Amino acid sequence: MIVETDFNDSLKWYLKNTTSKGFYIVILLQVQQVARHFGGDYLFKNAQLEVQDHARVALVGPNGAGKSTLLKMIAGITTPDDGQIILGKNVQVGYLAQDSGLSSERNIYDEMLTIFEGLRQMEAQMHTLEQAIADPDANRSDEDYQALLKQYDQIQHDFSEANGYGYEAEIRGVLHGFQFPEETFTKPISTLSGGERSRLALAKLLLEKKDVLILDEPTNHLDIQTLTWLENYLQTYPGALLTVSHDRYFLDKITKEVYDMSRHTLTHYTGNYSHFLTQKSANLSLEWKAYEKQQAEIEKLQTFVDKNLVRASTTKQAQSRRRQLEKMDKLERPTNDASKIHFHFDIDQPSGNEVLQVVDAAVGYSADKVMVEPINFEVNKQERLAIIGPNGIGKSTLLKSILHQIPFLKGHERVGSNVSIGYYDQEQRNLHANKTVLNELWDEHRTTPEKEIRTLLGSFLFTGDDVLKVVSQLSGGEKARLLLTKLAMNHDNFLIMDEPTNHLDIDSKEVLEQALREFDGTVLFISHDRYFINQVATGIIELSTTTGSKRYLGDYDYYLAKKAEEEAFAQAAEVPVEVSDQPVTAQDNYKASKETQRAQRKLEREVTALEEQMATLEEQATAIQEKMTQADIITKPLVLQELQQDLEKVQADLAQTEADWEEQAMALEEFTN
C-alpha cells in the first residue's frame, strides 16, 4: 500500500557540513520492506529504497529481477504483497512506463498546452482585467480602481513566477529536443508512429515537472542526438529522478545513486553506474574473502572433531568445537547475479575480402520521398561498422534494401564472394509467433540432435520447460535472446543487425559485445547505444540529409572527436575576420597562444598515431609478400589468391592512412611556419 505522510515532521533531519552550516534533506518517498511473491517464491523481498529531493537514482539489475514491477508499485499502479511505500505530503509522482505512447485526439501542440491550463486561465484573467482597467467608460470609484490594480498586480506576479511568459517557449524547446520541428506541431497525435508517441509521452511528462519522475527505459526509441539532448535537459530538472535504463552512458551521466536489484533484494550504492560496478566488485571480493576464511575455520574445527571425538582424552574439546560449529552463523557462498548468457558466433567458411559495396544508392518507400542519398560505402572482411543517424533518416530501410526486402530507389549493392548473411531484425519478424522456442530452431535444423539444440538454448538461458514456451508468449528480452540463438546456430560470416541491444539487460549486452569482438566474420549494425558502438565498432557510417553517407575510421569516441574537429573548422571558416580598434593586450595574446598550443599538440598526437598505423600496415604488407614467396605457398593458387586479396586490402588501408597523415601533417605544418 501507499501511505502519504508529512516528511517535514517525521522523516526530515538536520545535517551538519564541514563548515558547521546546517542544511535539510527532504525525503520525497520511501520503500519499506516491500516484497512481491508468487506462492512461496519471491521475486524480491525486504526491498528498501529512498528518494530525496533533487535525487538522481538508478535502479539496475538483470532482466526479470523485478525492476519494472517495483516502479509500478511506487507509481501506485500495483500494490506490494508486503511492506509499504510512503510518499511525502503533496508529493506528485510522474511515471513513464516502458515503451508507453501518448494517446490523444488533439494535435501535438494542443496536447502540450493542456499541461499549462492553469496558466492559460490566469492569462485570460489578466486580459480581462487589462480591459477593465483601460475602460474609459467604467463608472467606479478611486477605491475600486486601486483594488482592480492591486488584483492585476498580484495575478501578474503569480503568472510571472510560474513562468507564464515563457511556457510556450518551453514547449517549443522540449518538442524540438525530441525532434518535433515547428511544422509538425499541428499534426494529430493519432497519426504518429509508436516511436513518435513514446517520445511525445516523455516530452509531456518532462513539461509537467512532477516532484518525482519515474522513468522505465526512457532511452528507448531515442536516437543519439535526442539522447544527448535529454541527458543535458535532465541535468537541470528541478525534481527527483528514479530511472531504470540499460544505457550505460546515460546512467553514468545522469545518476548519483544506484540501487542494485539482485539476489531478490536491493543494495544501495553511492555514485554513478561506473562507480557502482567498482564498488560491487570490491564488495564481492570482500564477501569471498570472508567466506573462504570461514570455510577454512569450519574445516579446521570439523577435522578436530572428527579426529578427537572418539578419544576419551579429547572428547570434551571435540564436543566444545562441535557446539562452536553448530552455533556458527554460516555465510552463504557468494554468487554473482542470476545466470548470464554465454555464447559466441562461429562461421562455416570465410568470405572473400570484399563483403559488401553500396554504390550511389537512395533509399525510401517512394520515388518522391527519398529518405537519404547518395549512399556510398564498402564493407570489408572482419570489419564491424556501425550505421548512425537521426530517427527517420532511413537506417533500417537501408538494411532492408541491402537484403532485397525493399528495393533501392537509386543505385545498387554488390555482395562479395562466399558471403552468407545473417539478419537480426529489431521488429523480431524473423520469429514465428505460434512455434515453440525449441521448434523455432529445430524446424530449420532438422538433422541437428535435440540435445544439441537444447544445449545451445541453455547458453541463452532457455532451460527446462522454457524451450516449450510459445514465441508469442515471450517477453521482448526473451525474443531478443531467441533471435541471437538463431544467428549463433546459422554460422553466417556476415551479420547484419538492426538494434541488437534492444530489450537486452546490461550483462547480456556485455556478452554480445565480446561475442562480436571475437567474431571471425563481418558485422554491419545499427545502434543508438553509444557504449555498445564504442565497444564493437571499427568504423562508423553516418547518414545525413546533407551529405548522404560519410565513413569514419575508429570507434564512437574517435567519431565524436572528428565531428568536433569538423565543426570547429566549419565555424572558423564562417566567422569573418574583424579588425578591432582596440589594442591587443598581453592577456589576449596569452589566451590565443594557449589555444594554438592545444590545437598543435592535438595535431601532433594524431600525426604520431597515423605514423604508427602506417608502420604497422607496412609490416603487415611485408609479411604477406614474404609468405607469398614461400615454396609451399607458390604451388597453391587458391592460397595465393587469398593472400593477394589480403595484400590489396592492407595496401588500400595504407593508402588511406597515408592520405590522412598527409592532411594532418600539412595542418601541423601551418602551426610551425
Side-chain angles (χ1 to χ4, degrees):
M1 63 184 246
I2 296 181
V3 179
E4 187 175 280
T5 188
D6 191 350
F7 283 114
N8 292 328
D9 296 332
S10 60
L11 295 174
K12 183 188 333 180
W13 62 87
Y14 195 69
L15 300 177
K16 296 281 188 179
N17 64 16
T18 55
T19 60
S20 299
K21 295 179 180 178
F23 58 92
Y24 286 104
I25 290 183
V26 180
I27 302 172
L28 300 179
L29 71 86
Q30 282 189 332
V31 175
Q32 296 184 344
Q33 305 294 325
V34 165
R36 167 68 80 219
H37 53 77
F38 307 95
D41 296 327
Y42 281 89
L43 182 62
F44 55 83
K45 60 182 177 179
N46 300 324
Q48 301 263 95
L49 182 146
E50 182 178 279
V51 177
Q52 300 172 359
D53 193 21
H54 304 298
R56 298 291 187 265
V57 183
L59 181 60
V60 303
N63 283 343
K67 302 185 298 296
S68 295
T69 301
L70 181 58
L71 292 188
K72 288 177 181 177
M73 292 177 180
I74 297 172
I77 298 172
T78 59
T79 304
D81 295 327
D82 298 315
Q84 62 180 357
I85 295 168
I86 304 176
L87 284 179
K89 191 175 181 180
N90 298 323
V91 170
Q92 292 184 318
V93 176
Y95 171 63
L96 181 74
Q98 189 176 155
D99 295 325
S100 62
L102 189 63
S103 181
S104 174
E105 297 302 316
R106 301 183 182 91
N107 64 40
I108 291 174
Y109 195 79
D110 287 345
E111 182 65 28
M112 299 300 108
L113 282 177
T114 62
I115 302 167
F116 303 96
E117 187 58 37
L119 280 175
R120 297 181 72 197
Q121 290 177 5
M122 290 174 65
E123 192 172 19
Q125 192 176 358
M126 285 170 55
H127 292 324
T128 301
L129 289 171
E130 287 168 356
Q131 291 173 1
I133 293 170
D135 186 1
D137 299 324
N139 186 15
R140 56 183 169 230
S141 66
D142 288 342
E143 186 176 337
D144 291 339
Y145 183 73
Q146 291 300 322
L148 205 61
L149 287 176
K150 186 177 180 181
Q151 184 185 0
Y152 178 79
D153 287 343
Q154 184 61 54
I155 293 175
Q156 187 183 44
H157 174 268
D158 295 343
F159 184 75
S160 179
E161 286 294 304
N163 193 33
Y165 296 106
Y167 74 89
E168 290 195 83
E170 188 177 2
I171 290 174
R172 288 193 294 271
V174 169
L175 288 176
H176 287 156
F178 282 104
Q179 305 302 310
F180 291 103
E182 203 93 20
E183 57 268 23
T184 67
F185 285 5
T186 57
K187 196 172 181 180
I189 293 173
S190 58
T191 65
L192 301 180
S193 68
E196 289 172 324
R197 292 189 187 193
S198 295
R199 285 187 278 130
L200 200 60
L202 180 53
K204 185 178 180 181
L205 190 60
L206 293 179
L207 288 168
E208 289 173 348
K209 290 188 171 64
K210 303 291 188 180
D211 301 307
V212 180
L213 198 57
I214 301 175
L215 304 176
D216 193 354
E217 293 290 355
T219 63
N220 288 354
H221 310 290
L222 301 185
D223 58 30
I224 293 174
Q225 181 182 351
T226 309
L227 184 53
T228 303
W229 177 89
L230 178 62
E231 289 172 346
N232 293 330
Y233 184 91
L234 291 178
Q235 297 287 328
T236 58
Y237 185 77
L241 299 176
L242 172 60
T243 185
V244 168
S245 178
H246 293 152
D247 189 309
R248 288 155 288 189
Y249 279 171
F250 179 80
L251 292 176
D252 266 348
K253 191 162 183 181
I254 296 302
T255 60
K256 298 179 180 178
E257 298 175 69
V258 174
Y259 283 88
D260 179 30
M261 182 169 275
S262 58
R263 307 181 194 178
H264 308 293
T265 190
L266 286 178
T267 305
H268 181 240
Y269 297 84
T270 58
N272 62 11
Y273 184 76
S274 293
H275 192 241
F276 149 72
L277 290 177
T278 303
Q279 287 181 302
K280 186 175 182 179
S281 178
N283 290 351
L284 185 61
S285 180
L286 290 173
E287 287 179 26
W288 269 109
K289 287 180 180 178
Y291 175 78
E292 290 169 351
K293 183 179 180 181
Q294 187 183 69
Q295 288 297 304
E297 180 66 16
I298 290 172
E299 184 179 0
K300 182 180 177 182
L301 291 171
Q302 190 63 54
T303 301
F304 185 91
V305 171
D306 294 341
K307 287 183 177 180
N308 297 283
L309 190 62
V310 295
R311 297 178 183 176
S313 60
T314 56
T315 297
K316 287 186 178 180
Q317 294 92 325
Q319 289 175 338
S320 174
R321 283 167 173 75
R322 186 166 64 180
R323 286 193 296 272
Q324 189 177 343
L325 276 170
E326 290 170 352
K327 292 179 181 179
M328 185 179 292
D329 186 12
K330 293 183 176 61
L331 299 173
E332 292 185 7
R333 180 183 176 87
T335 60
N336 291 322
D337 300 326
S339 301
K340 297 181 181 180
I341 63 173
H342 53 93
F343 69 96
H344 57 275
F345 295 113
D346 293 321
I347 61 175
D348 284 336
Q349 62 174 352
S351 68
N353 188 58
E354 293 183 359
V355 175
L356 174 70
Q357 188 177 27
V358 178
V359 182
D360 294 331
V363 298
Y365 289 87
S366 62
D368 59 335
K369 292 183 179 179
V370 175
M371 290 177 165
V372 59
E373 66 171 334
I375 305 172
N376 290 281
F377 63 88
E378 294 180 354
V379 183
N380 293 313
K381 183 179 178 181
Q382 295 184 333
E383 286 187 321
R384 300 186 301 273
L385 303 184
I387 301 175
I388 66 173
N391 283 337
I393 193 68
K395 301 184 296 295
S396 297
T397 307
L398 171 61
L399 295 189
K400 291 174 181 177
S401 296
I402 292 171
L403 295 164
H404 296 177
Q405 297 179 6
I406 300 172
F408 283 109
L409 299 179
K410 297 178 186 176
H412 65 277
E413 98 294 339
R414 183 165 61 247
V415 177
S417 60
N418 296 324
V419 173
S420 59
I421 298 176
Y423 176 46
Y424 183 103
D425 177 17
Q426 69 162 318
E427 298 170 350
Q428 300 175 336
R429 293 175 180 172
N430 291 346
L431 299 175
H432 302 83
N434 297 323
K435 288 186 178 182
T436 65
V437 169
L438 178 62
N439 286 115
E440 184 68 37
L441 271 69
W442 208 0
D443 288 351
E444 295 182 11
H445 303 274
R446 298 302 302 177
T447 60
T448 305
E450 181 181 350
K451 183 179 179 182
E452 187 175 327
I453 293 177
R454 284 179 174 269
T455 300
L456 181 62
L457 284 168
S459 67
F460 287 85
L461 305 185
F462 293 104
T463 59
D465 292 340
D466 289 341
V467 303
L468 302 179
K469 287 183 178 178
V470 178
V471 170
S472 61
Q473 298 174 343
L474 300 179
S475 68
E478 289 172 324
K479 289 178 180 177
R481 286 190 276 115
L482 184 56
L483 274 173
L484 290 174
T485 312
K486 293 184 70 172
L487 279 183
M489 196 164 186
N490 290 336
H491 299 173
D492 296 307
N493 56 35
F494 183 29
L495 300 182
I496 295 179
M497 311 181 83
D498 191 355
E499 296 286 1
T501 62
N502 280 0
H503 309 293
L504 294 181
D505 58 32
I506 294 176
D507 289 340
S508 299
K509 286 184 183 182
E510 290 174 351
V511 175
L512 178 59
E513 288 161 7
Q514 183 175 351
L516 291 176
R517 287 196 301 268
E518 296 173 351
F519 181 46
D520 286 334
T522 308
V523 186
L524 179 66
F525 68 98
I526 297 169
S527 180
H528 293 146
D529 189 318
R530 296 156 297 175
Y531 188 92
F532 180 80
I533 297 172
N534 223 22
Q535 292 296 308
V536 174
T538 59
I540 306 289
I541 299 170
E542 180 190 59
L543 299 185
S544 73
T545 54
T546 54
T547 61
S549 66
K550 187 170 183 178
R551 172 81 177 262
Y552 292 85
L553 298 172
D555 57 17
Y556 186 70
D557 284 345
Y558 185 77
Y559 160 77
L560 289 179
K562 294 299 292 184
K563 289 291 290 184
E565 184 179 302
E566 290 172 2
E567 289 173 6
F569 281 132
Q571 290 174 3
E574 291 174 0
V575 176
V577 179
E578 296 182 1
V579 180
S580 175
D581 295 331
Q582 300 295 324
V584 179
T585 65
Q587 186 178 4
D588 293 331
N589 283 329
Y590 175 76
K591 289 181 179 178
S593 175
K594 294 297 286 184
E595 291 292 330
T596 301
Q597 289 172 18
R598 276 196 291 268
Q600 183 175 343
R601 286 195 297 270
K602 182 181 179 183
L603 282 171
E604 287 172 348
R605 288 194 299 270
E606 290 180 356
V607 168
T608 301
L610 288 167
E611 287 173 348
E612 292 173 353
Q613 190 175 347
M614 284 191 297
T616 301
L617 290 169
E618 287 170 351
E619 290 174 1
Q620 291 176 3
T622 301
I624 294 172
Q625 289 169 337
E626 289 177 352
K627 193 172 183 178
M628 293 173 71
T629 61
Q630 294 175 4
D632 58 331
I633 299 295
I634 292 176
T635 58
K636 299 177 181 177
L638 293 177
V639 177
L640 276 174
Q641 184 180 358
E642 185 70 24
L643 287 171
Q644 181 62 38
Q645 290 176 346
D646 293 342
L647 180 61
E648 290 172 358
K649 170 63 168 60
V650 171
Q651 289 173 335
D653 291 344
L654 179 59
Q656 181 61 53
T657 306
E658 287 175 343
D660 293 341
W661 174 85
E662 185 176 355
E663 180 184 343
Q664 300 295 353
M666 290 178 64
L668 180 61
E669 191 176 343
E670 294 179 5
F671 284 101
T672 57
N673 289 339

PDB file of all heavy atoms in Angstrom, residues 321-333:
ATOM      1  N   ARG A 321      34.127 -27.887  20.303  1.00  0.00           N
ATOM      2  CA  ARG A 321      34.271 -27.378  18.937  1.00  0.00           C
ATOM      3  C   ARG A 321      33.053 -27.713  18.078  1.00  0.00           C
ATOM      4  O   ARG A 321      32.661 -26.942  17.196  1.00  0.00           O
ATOM      5  CB  ARG A 321      35.547 -27.940  18.313  1.00  0.00           C
ATOM      6  CG  ARG A 321      36.810 -27.224  18.825  1.00  0.00           C
ATOM      7  CD  ARG A 321      38.066 -27.959  18.479  1.00  0.00           C
ATOM      8  NE  ARG A 321      39.257 -27.216  18.810  1.00  0.00           N
ATOM      9  CZ  ARG A 321      39.731 -27.059  20.035  1.00  0.00           C
ATOM     10  NH1 ARG A 321      39.083 -27.581  21.087  1.00  0.00           N
ATOM     11  NH2 ARG A 321      40.846 -26.380  20.246  1.00  0.00           N
ATOM     12  N   ARG A 322      32.407 -28.879  18.365  1.00  0.00           N
ATOM     13  CA  ARG A 322      31.200 -29.210  17.631  1.00  0.00           C
ATOM     14  C   ARG A 322      30.071 -28.226  17.955  1.00  0.00           C
ATOM     15  O   ARG A 322      29.324 -27.809  17.078  1.00  0.00           O
ATOM     16  CB  ARG A 322      30.763 -30.644  17.930  1.00  0.00           C
ATOM     17  CG  ARG A 322      29.568 -31.089  17.060  1.00  0.00           C
ATOM     18  CD  ARG A 322      29.372 -32.585  17.109  1.00  0.00           C
ATOM     19  NE  ARG A 322      29.029 -33.049  18.438  1.00  0.00           N
ATOM     20  CZ  ARG A 322      28.811 -34.337  18.737  1.00  0.00           C
ATOM     21  NH1 ARG A 322      28.895 -35.268  17.783  1.00  0.00           N
ATOM     22  NH2 ARG A 322      28.521 -34.676  19.983  1.00  0.00           N
ATOM     23  N   ARG A 323      29.942 -27.863  19.239  1.00  0.00           N
ATOM     24  CA  ARG A 323      28.953 -26.850  19.616  1.00  0.00           C
ATOM     25  C   ARG A 323      29.264 -25.503  18.975  1.00  0.00           C
ATOM     26  O   ARG A 323      28.367 -24.770  18.566  1.00  0.00           O
ATOM     27  CB  ARG A 323      28.905 -26.723  21.148  1.00  0.00           C
ATOM     28  CG  ARG A 323      28.212 -27.878  21.844  1.00  0.00           C
ATOM     29  CD  ARG A 323      27.923 -27.539  23.297  1.00  0.00           C
ATOM     30  NE  ARG A 323      29.146 -27.343  24.061  1.00  0.00           N
ATOM     31  CZ  ARG A 323      29.813 -28.317  24.689  1.00  0.00           C
ATOM     32  NH1 ARG A 323      29.363 -29.568  24.635  1.00  0.00           N
ATOM     33  NH2 ARG A 323      30.907 -28.049  25.377  1.00  0.00           N
ATOM     34  N   GLN A 324      30.580 -25.208  18.877  1.00  0.00           N
ATOM     35  CA  GLN A 324      31.003 -23.977  18.220  1.00  0.00           C
ATOM     36  C   GLN A 324      30.567 -23.979  16.750  1.00  0.00           C
ATOM     37  O   GLN A 324      30.106 -22.953  16.217  1.00  0.00           O
ATOM     38  CB  GLN A 324      32.528 -23.825  18.321  1.00  0.00           C
ATOM     39  CG  GLN A 324      33.062 -22.484  17.866  1.00  0.00           C
ATOM     40  CD  GLN A 324      34.575 -22.384  18.064  1.00  0.00           C
ATOM     41  OE1 GLN A 324      35.176 -23.178  18.828  1.00  0.00           O
ATOM     42  NE2 GLN A 324      35.211 -21.444  17.403  1.00  0.00           N
ATOM     43  N   LEU A 325      30.713 -25.128  16.086  1.00  0.00           N
ATOM     44  CA  LEU A 325      30.277 -25.257  14.700  1.00  0.00           C
ATOM     45  C   LEU A 325      28.762 -25.082  14.571  1.00  0.00           C
ATOM     46  O   LEU A 325      28.273 -24.432  13.643  1.00  0.00           O
ATOM     47  CB  LEU A 325      30.685 -26.623  14.141  1.00  0.00           C
ATOM     48  CG  LEU A 325      32.103 -26.765  13.601  1.00  0.00           C
ATOM     49  CD1 LEU A 325      32.403 -28.237  13.313  1.00  0.00           C
ATOM     50  CD2 LEU A 325      32.284 -25.937  12.335  1.00  0.00           C
ATOM     51  N   GLU A 326      28.029 -25.691  15.498  1.00  0.00           N
ATOM     52  CA  GLU A 326      26.579 -25.630  15.432  1.00  0.00           C
ATOM     53  C   GLU A 326      26.050 -24.217  15.639  1.00  0.00           C
ATOM     54  O   GLU A 326      25.043 -23.823  15.052  1.00  0.00           O
ATOM     55  CB  GLU A 326      25.983 -26.579  16.479  1.00  0.00           C
ATOM     56  CG  GLU A 326      26.193 -28.054  16.140  1.00  0.00           C
ATOM     57  CD  GLU A 326      25.808 -28.964  17.293  1.00  0.00           C
ATOM     58  OE1 GLU A 326      25.531 -28.436  18.413  1.00  0.00           O
ATOM     59  OE2 GLU A 326      25.801 -30.202  17.104  1.00  0.00           O
ATOM     60  N   LYS A 327      26.712 -23.421  16.473  1.00  0.00           N
ATOM     61  CA  LYS A 327      26.272 -22.065  16.767  1.00  0.00           C
ATOM     62  C   LYS A 327      26.743 -21.051  15.719  1.00  0.00           C
ATOM     63  O   LYS A 327      26.248 -19.930  15.672  1.00  0.00           O
ATOM     64  CB  LYS A 327      26.798 -21.630  18.139  1.00  0.00           C
ATOM     65  CG  LYS A 327      26.179 -22.377  19.294  1.00  0.00           C
ATOM     66  CD  LYS A 327      26.765 -21.896  20.620  1.00  0.00           C
ATOM     67  CE  LYS A 327      26.165 -22.661  21.796  1.00  0.00           C
ATOM     68  NZ  LYS A 327      26.759 -22.208  23.093  1.00  0.00           N
ATOM     69  N   MET A 328      27.690 -21.455  14.875  1.00  0.00           N
ATOM     70  CA  MET A 328      28.276 -20.537  13.903  1.00  0.00           C
ATOM     71  C   MET A 328      27.224 -20.070  12.892  1.00  0.00           C
ATOM     72  O   MET A 328      26.459 -20.868  12.354  1.00  0.00           O
ATOM     73  CB  MET A 328      29.438 -21.208  13.166  1.00  0.00           C
ATOM     74  CG  MET A 328      30.185 -20.290  12.211  1.00  0.00           C
ATOM     75  SD  MET A 328      31.572 -21.145  11.410  1.00  0.00           S
ATOM     76  CE  MET A 328      32.683 -21.400  12.802  1.00  0.00           C
ATOM     77  N   ASP A 329      27.169 -18.773  12.665  1.00  0.00           N
ATOM     78  CA  ASP A 329      26.292 -18.202  11.648  1.00  0.00           C
ATOM     79  C   ASP A 329      27.001 -18.325  10.298  1.00  0.00           C
ATOM     80  O   ASP A 329      27.817 -17.498   9.927  1.00  0.00           O
ATOM     81  CB  ASP A 329      25.991 -16.740  11.966  1.00  0.00           C
ATOM     82  CG  ASP A 329      24.954 -16.139  11.020  1.00  0.00           C
ATOM     83  OD1 ASP A 329      24.312 -16.909  10.264  1.00  0.00           O
ATOM     84  OD2 ASP A 329      24.803 -14.900  11.011  1.00  0.00           O
ATOM     85  N   LYS A 330      26.670 -19.376   9.586  1.00  0.00           N
ATOM     86  CA  LYS A 330      27.416 -19.703   8.373  1.00  0.00           C
ATOM     87  C   LYS A 330      27.057 -18.755   7.228  1.00  0.00           C
ATOM     88  O   LYS A 330      25.889 -18.480   6.961  1.00  0.00           O
ATOM     89  CB  LYS A 330      27.157 -21.147   7.959  1.00  0.00           C
ATOM     90  CG  LYS A 330      27.721 -22.179   8.954  1.00  0.00           C
ATOM     91  CD  LYS A 330      27.504 -23.588   8.483  1.00  0.00           C
ATOM     92  CE  LYS A 330      28.154 -24.593   9.419  1.00  0.00           C
ATOM     93  NZ  LYS A 330      27.594 -24.529  10.791  1.00  0.00           N
ATOM     94  N   LEU A 331      28.083 -18.282   6.551  1.00  0.00           N
ATOM     95  CA  LEU A 331      27.921 -17.387   5.412  1.00  0.00           C
ATOM     96  C   LEU A 331      27.541 -18.173   4.164  1.00  0.00           C
ATOM     97  O   LEU A 331      28.041 -19.280   3.941  1.00  0.00           O
ATOM     98  CB  LEU A 331      29.226 -16.614   5.145  1.00  0.00           C
ATOM     99  CG  LEU A 331      29.740 -15.709   6.267  1.00  0.00           C
ATOM    100  CD1 LEU A 331      31.119 -15.149   5.905  1.00  0.00           C
ATOM    101  CD2 LEU A 331      28.763 -14.572   6.528  1.00  0.00           C
ATOM    102  N   GLU A 332      26.638 -17.597   3.354  1.00  0.00           N
ATOM    103  CA  GLU A 332      26.304 -18.213   2.084  1.00  0.00           C
ATOM    104  C   GLU A 332      27.445 -18.025   1.094  1.00  0.00           C
ATOM    105  O   GLU A 332      28.170 -17.034   1.148  1.00  0.00           O
ATOM    106  CB  GLU A 332      25.023 -17.610   1.508  1.00  0.00           C
ATOM    107  CG  GLU A 332      23.773 -17.936   2.289  1.00  0.00           C
ATOM    108  CD  GLU A 332      22.529 -17.401   1.602  1.00  0.00           C
ATOM    109  OE1 GLU A 332      22.644 -16.908   0.460  1.00  0.00           O
ATOM    110  OE2 GLU A 332      21.438 -17.480   2.202  1.00  0.00           O
ATOM    111  N   ARG A 333      27.592 -18.997   0.213  1.00  0.00           N
ATOM    112  CA  ARG A 333      28.612 -18.901  -0.812  1.00  0.00           C
ATOM    113  C   ARG A 333      28.313 -17.695  -1.714  1.00  0.00           C
ATOM    114  O   ARG A 333      27.206 -17.585  -2.253  1.00  0.00           O
ATOM    115  CB  ARG A 333      28.646 -20.175  -1.657  1.00  0.00           C
ATOM    116  CG  ARG A 333      29.684 -20.185  -2.771  1.00  0.00           C
ATOM    117  CD  ARG A 333      29.571 -21.467  -3.579  1.00  0.00           C
ATOM    118  NE  ARG A 333      30.489 -21.455  -4.706  1.00  0.00           N
ATOM    119  CZ  ARG A 333      31.746 -21.865  -4.650  1.00  0.00           C
ATOM    120  NH1 ARG A 333      32.243 -22.316  -3.519  1.00  0.00           N
ATOM    121  NH2 ARG A 333      32.527 -21.820  -5.729  1.00  0.00           N
TER     122      ARG A 333
END
